[in-house]
């Protein structure tokens, strides 16, 4: 059997690889950035830094969503500060240029000359799908529902619309986004890294179901006793979820440079869900364990003591598919 090699260690830290990934992975993909429920009223906004592209999503008066790079065309000032908030008008925080809700320049405060026509904010594709807000920086990427392919079928039985956003945790983890993705894409480490999870579930029966589309997969793990059947899922490049009783945990890991990510967990539950604190605590424990091992692996990848390894054909075929996509994206011309 031909064994598959991992990506070279240097790809997990080299700035030029990261720059190519920004252009060919994060610029072209649809990325989950938040929830409809965070943008209830016209003027409500949320911000995100998408692999070094600061952007914001804002609710318009007609109820639709708009999204723009958070970069003023004058001298690159911000339109909104970081975080969630409300902004009745779109006015640059630096020198006060004002823009229409659709991003066209309305007035250039005390500029001292006529401003040429056509100056506007750079728009970003945005759409809400089942209450989850996604953005895409590349205008040529197909609409989200088309881009998702068969993935929505995997969530058809999950009553997302009946769930409410309950809490969010954010972890800054000192690893490359691919180090964390690699870890998510296999159940090989579950018995060794997650002792309490493996007490409740049969980790030896962890299966990653990979269909024809290498951009997504579904993971299942049966319980040992009275606990629930675990279902996880992943979509390229950094969206993941976990179906839990009465709820849903959404996870995304966004690069903060070549060596760091923010791992953002959002927990959604039905109003009548039970044991939500226990589910939350168990999930956070697993997240801490994944963060710990990922950060250590990152240090080792950067140590000079490792170049490539061999992937288990039994446990790690999803990594082989992921690495193939990364190789393709990094070698593509942007
Ligand atoms: S940078 Fe926006 S008004 Fe100057
Ligand atoms: Fe894990």
């Amino acid at each position: 059997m031909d064994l598959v090699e991992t990506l070279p260690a240097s790809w997990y830290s080299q700035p030029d690889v990261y720059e190519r990934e920004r252009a060919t992975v994060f610029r072209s993909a649809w990325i989950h950035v938040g929830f409809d429920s965070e943008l209830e009223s016209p003027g409500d906004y949320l911000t995100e830094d998408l692999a070094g592209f600061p952007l914001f999503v804002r609710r318009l008066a007609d109820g639709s969503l708009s999204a723009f790079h958070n970069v003023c065309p004058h001298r690159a000032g911000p339109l909104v500060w970081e975080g969630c908030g409300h902004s009745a008008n779109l006015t640059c925080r630096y020198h006060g240029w004002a823009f229409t809700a659709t991003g066209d320049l309305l007035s250039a405060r005390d500029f001292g000359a006529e401003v040429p026509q056509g100056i506007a904010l750079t728009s970003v594709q945005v759409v809400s799908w089942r209450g989850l807000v996604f953005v895409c920086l590349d205008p040529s990427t197909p609409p989200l529902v088309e881009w998702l392919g068969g993935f929505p079928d995997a969530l058809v039985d999950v009553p997302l619309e009946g769930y409410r956003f309950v809490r969010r945790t954010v972890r800054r983890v000192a690893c490359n986004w691919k180090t964390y993705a690699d870890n998510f894409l296999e159940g090989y480490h579950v018995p060794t890294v997650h002792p309490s999870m493996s007490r409740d579930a049969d980790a030896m029966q962890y299966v990653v179901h990979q269909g024809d589309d290498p951009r997504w997969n579904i993971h299942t793990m049966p319980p040992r006793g009275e606990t629930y059947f675990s279902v996880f899922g992943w979509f390229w490049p950094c969206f993941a979820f976990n179906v839990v009783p009465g709820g849903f945990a959404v996870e995304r890991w966004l690069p903060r440079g070549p060596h760091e990510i923010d791992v953002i967990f959002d927990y959604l539950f039905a109003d009548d869900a039970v044991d939500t604190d226990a589910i939350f605590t168990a999930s956070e424990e697993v997240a801490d364990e994944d963060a710990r091992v990922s950060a250590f692996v990152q240090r080792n990848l950067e140590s000079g003591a490792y170049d490539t390894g061999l992937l288990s054909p039994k446990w790690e075929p999803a990594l082989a598919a992921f690495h193939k996509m990364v190789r393709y994206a990094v070698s593509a011309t942007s």
Side-chain angles (χ1 to χ4, degrees):
M1 174 184 287
D2 285 342
L3 296 175
V4 178
E5 278 195 348
T6 61
L7 292 173
S10 60
W11 284 38
Y12 291 79
S13 60
Q14 276 181 354
D16 60 322
V17 171
Y18 178 63
E19 280 308 312
R20 288 209 290 280
E21 290 168 347
R22 287 183 69 223
T24 58
V25 176
F26 290 95
R27 200 176 173 281
S28 69
W30 281 95
I31 306 283
H32 174 232
V33 293
F35 298 90
D36 255 339
S37 58
E38 294 177 275
L39 302 162
E40 274 181 342
S41 308
D44 286 356
Y45 68 83
L46 61 81
T47 65
E48 190 47 272
D49 183 294
L50 212 173
F53 295 103
L55 56 86
F56 66 95
V57 180
R58 186 164 170 269
R59 180 76 64 193
L60 300 182
D62 67 0
S64 63
L65 294 173
S66 64
F68 300 98
H69 287 266
N70 194 6
V71 181
C72 176
H74 173 222
R75 278 190 31 239
L79 278 298
V80 291
W81 299 116
E82 296 97 336
C84 285
H86 180 86
S87 177
N89 301 304
L90 271 188
T91 305
C92 179
R93 303 289 132 183
Y94 202 0
H95 310 101
W97 282 22
F99 298 85
T100 67
T102 50
D104 295 320
L105 180 64
L106 201 58
S107 66
R109 182 182 66 83
D110 203 21
F111 189 61
E114 190 81 1
V115 178
Q117 294 286 305
I119 292 180
L121 303 177
T122 305
S123 67
V124 168
Q125 292 201 72
V126 59
V127 71
S128 156
W129 175 75
R130 301 195 64 192
L132 280 66
V133 175
F134 287 78
V135 298
C136 179
L137 299 171
D138 187 344
S140 69
T141 297
L144 178 71
V145 283
E146 201 180 308
W147 193 79
L148 287 176
F151 177 72
D153 292 347
L155 290 174
V156 83
D157 293 330
V158 181
L160 286 177
E161 291 76 3
Y163 293 161
R164 217 157 35 83
F165 172 79
V166 174
R167 61 206 288 187
R168 168 172 296 164
T169 63
V170 181
R171 277 177 184 73
R172 178 63 57 94
V173 182
C175 73
N176 183 265
W177 70 277
K178 301 187 295 297
T179 312
Y180 197 85
D182 286 352
N183 178 69
F184 189 90
L185 286 171
E186 46 91 352
Y188 198 19
H189 72 273
V190 173
T192 33
V193 171
H194 304 303
S196 55
M197 191 186 198
S198 329
R199 264 196 308 275
D200 294 340
D202 188 355
M204 297 313 289
Q205 305 297 326
Y206 193 108
V207 178
V208 177
H209 305 269
Q210 182 76 61
D212 295 337
D213 185 345
R215 298 173 309 153
W216 64 275
N217 43 54
I218 302 296
H219 309 192
T220 55
M221 181 169 57
R224 282 193 196 281
E226 292 304 297
T227 54
Y228 56 89
F229 199 93
S230 298
V231 179
F232 307 92
W234 169 79
F235 202 108
W236 164 269
C238 58
F239 174 82
F241 67 82
N242 179 11
V243 180
V244 295
F248 191 69
V250 189
E251 181 185 359
R252 59 187 190 270
W253 47 94
L254 296 177
R256 303 303 186 214
H259 312 269
E260 265 187 341
I261 55 171
D262 273 338
V263 179
I264 304 164
F265 272 88
D266 289 311
Y267 294 87
L268 291 75
F269 285 106
D271 287 338
D272 61 356
V274 294
D275 291 337
T276 57
D277 282 348
I279 291 168
F280 171 79
T281 304
S283 171
E284 288 293 292
E285 183 183 342
V286 169
D288 281 339
E289 291 160 350
D290 283 325
R292 180 186 182 198
V293 75
S294 296
F296 212 121
V297 167
Q298 182 71 28
R299 289 200 297 278
N300 287 346
L301 290 171
E302 295 187 36
S303 68
Y306 177 94
D307 181 21
T308 59
L310 296 173
L311 295 171
S312 159
K314 176 178 177 185
W315 290 97
E316 298 171 311
L319 271 80
F322 174 62
H323 289 189
K324 194 171 172 183
M325 284 188 290
V326 171
R327 283 180 201 276
Y328 181 79
V330 168
S331 58
T333 46
S334 47

